[in-house]
Amino acid sequence: MADGPPHPAAPHAPTAHASNATPGAPAHPAAADPHPPAPSAHTAPAGDAGSADRSAPSPGAPAQAGAAPTGARGAPVQGQPAASAAPPAGVRLDRRAPAEGAGGGDDYPLQAPDPRVAAEPAAVCVACRAGRVDDDGYCENCGHAQPRERDHMEQECGPVAAVSDRGLRHHRNEDAFAVGTTALPDGSPVSVAVVCDGVSSATRPDEASLAASRAANASLLDALPRGTHPQQAMHEAILAASEAVNALAGEQPAEADEHAPQQNAPACTIVGAVVTAGLLVVGWVGDSRAYWIPVDRSPAVRLTEDDSWAAQMVAAGLMGEAEAYADHRAHAITGWLGADAYELEPHTAAFKPDRPGVVVVCTDGLWNYAESADEMAEAVPADAAARPLHAARVLVGHALDGGGHDNVTVALVPFPAVPQGAGSA
């Protein structure tokens, strides 16, 4: 998860209840009694008062269509067979006929549940495996918070795959990703991956990363089929992501603006990759990264430069890379998407690899455990280009095995072999 900028600053599934009355059960009307007993004061069992009320028409109410005509005391009129009388709406059909000499017959036998109606099992706690999970997502037995939808996410779209995990130390996942495929005007395929990391010191960082990843992905999938050059499309996608995050600041509660005006707006980093036949384009703002890992592992390359304090120290020649990234200020970012960003400067770069490989697009939750290009290449499975989802799972597992101190998100985009020389476009 991206550190803050260097400025101040499962819902429970409802349980289905099977009906006590078996669908299609035949009615058993009581035999007509020439001297019916006086109505019992207890005309319906507890819980059926509503049914009893609905079955008794109010004075002056018109007779229901199809109802059998009745005499003064409710007995069927002679000449009208009792079996043909249609019961009024709301009358139960499972009432027993009163036994000879018995008084009332108010017992309602319980019907066996219909085996065709399967009740949904109540959600069970993943920790104690015994407690029921309430509507707020906590176990009523042990109080353990249940996994949220974004705690672990996986997606495979054509040749592209991505995995995101909450990690082992954070209470929620503030990373987000979006992947997709489309075609250029000439019909050649193109793959897209966007990864965003919410700035944890900002408000609603999870919403910022989600909004940015979706906006950038939608922009790319719209622009590329129209013939926009991939590098220009990436630039426009980052601007669209920035606008989506900025819009969240306007939705902040008034009291939040009073306490921290323009200092705690939703914010995130972004990195994306576009792969076409023969061209690889990356774009980024912040410290999320993209790596190029050729299938033969000769040489792997980091394609992005961090917008961070450590990168600035190295670029200025004030500190060596190892020393800078060991400093506690290393991950303070100097570029991000958000209403309080100093100045948005989208970075884009285009490359023409001369061999097949895979592009690793990730947050610092992964590259903290494989920082150099060689370390990342060592962590990437050899068959990553053929099995990108498996490889993404392996890389997330690598970060979790290393401690999982942050949210972990990675997308893998295979790059096909092309007979062209390598170099920047």
Side-chain angles (χ1 to χ4, degrees):
M1 184 180 310
D3 288 337
H7 58 288
H12 166 60
T15 303
H17 298 284
S19 171
N20 285 337
T22 305
H28 300 286
D33 188 349
H35 303 289
S40 169
H42 196 66
T43 58
D48 283 353
S51 295
D53 291 341
R54 289 191 298 271
S55 66
S58 58
Q64 295 182 3
T70 59
R73 300 186 61 190
V77 174
Q78 292 200 0
Q80 298 289 339
S84 65
V91 174
R92 295 184 57 146
L93 301 180
D94 56 354
R95 183 171 182 172
R96 271 198 235 160
E100 187 70 28
D106 287 332
D107 293 333
Y108 290 82
L110 294 176
Q111 300 288 324
D114 188 342
R116 295 170 298 179
V117 181
E120 295 183 16
V124 178
C125 175
V126 299
C128 68
R129 304 302 302 170
R132 175 183 174 276
V133 179
D134 63 21
D135 293 338
D136 293 328
Y138 289 87
C139 176
E140 294 179 348
N141 179 50
C142 67
H144 188 88
Q146 304 304 295
R148 299 178 178 89
E149 180 183 0
R150 288 179 64 176
D151 282 358
H152 185 88
M153 301 178 292
E154 298 184 354
Q155 186 178 354
E156 192 169 29
C157 183
V160 193
V163 176
S164 181
D165 192 272
R166 177 170 59 92
L168 305 179
R169 303 295 181 91
H170 287 271
H171 71 285
R172 66 179 176 185
N173 189 358
E174 296 171 357
D175 287 357
F177 67 79
V179 296
T181 58
T182 186
L184 298 179
D186 63 2
S188 59
V190 56
S191 301
V192 171
V194 178
V195 167
C196 297
D197 184 353
V199 176
S200 58
S201 62
T203 58
R204 299 149 63 200
D206 53 332
E207 295 181 37
S209 62
L210 186 62
S213 61
R214 288 178 173 176
N217 186 61
S219 178
L220 287 167
L221 296 181
D222 176 66
L224 292 168
R226 291 190 283 104
T228 305
H229 188 278
Q231 191 165 0
Q232 178 62 29
M234 178 63 73
H235 180 87
E236 294 174 358
I238 294 176
L239 295 180
S242 177
E243 291 177 2
V245 177
N246 292 349
L248 296 176
E251 301 172 4
Q252 297 224 102
E255 56 271 18
D257 291 335
E258 292 175 3
H259 294 303
Q262 295 300 312
Q263 292 189 7
N264 202 25
C268 69
T269 68
I270 186 171
V271 61
V274 173
V275 169
T276 70
L279 183 66
L280 161 61
V281 171
V282 295
W284 73 97
V285 173
D287 63 348
S288 292
R289 295 181 176 180
Y291 293 81
W292 161 247
I293 313 295
V295 291
D296 59 5
R297 297 301 193 268
S298 63
V301 179
R302 174 153 63 96
L303 304 176
T304 58
E305 292 293 336
D306 299 343
D307 289 320
S308 69
W309 179 90
Q312 283 191 342
M313 293 299 102
V314 174
L318 300 176
M319 301 176 73
E321 187 169 356
E323 181 185 4
Y325 281 98
D327 193 281
H328 69 279
R329 296 166 290 182
H331 290 279
I333 58 175
T334 58
W336 62 91
L337 304 182
D340 58 352
Y342 298 130
E343 185 177 353
L344 178 62
E345 295 182 5
H347 310 290
T348 62
F351 307 90
K352 292 182 177 179
D354 62 348
R355 65 201 69 194
V358 65
V359 184
V360 178
V361 184
C362 65
T363 62
D364 60 346
L366 171 61
W367 67 252
N368 278 331
Y369 301 97
E371 187 171 330
S372 70
D374 290 340
E375 290 172 328
M376 185 64 71
E378 185 176 348
V380 172
D383 60 352
R387 302 172 63 197
L389 181 58
H390 168 74
R393 290 169 175 164
V394 169
L395 290 173
V396 169
H398 177 77
L400 297 180
D401 290 344
H405 286 72
D406 203 349
N407 305 146
V408 189
T409 302
V410 57
L412 274 77
V413 190
F415 185 90
V418 288
Q420 296 182 5
S424 297

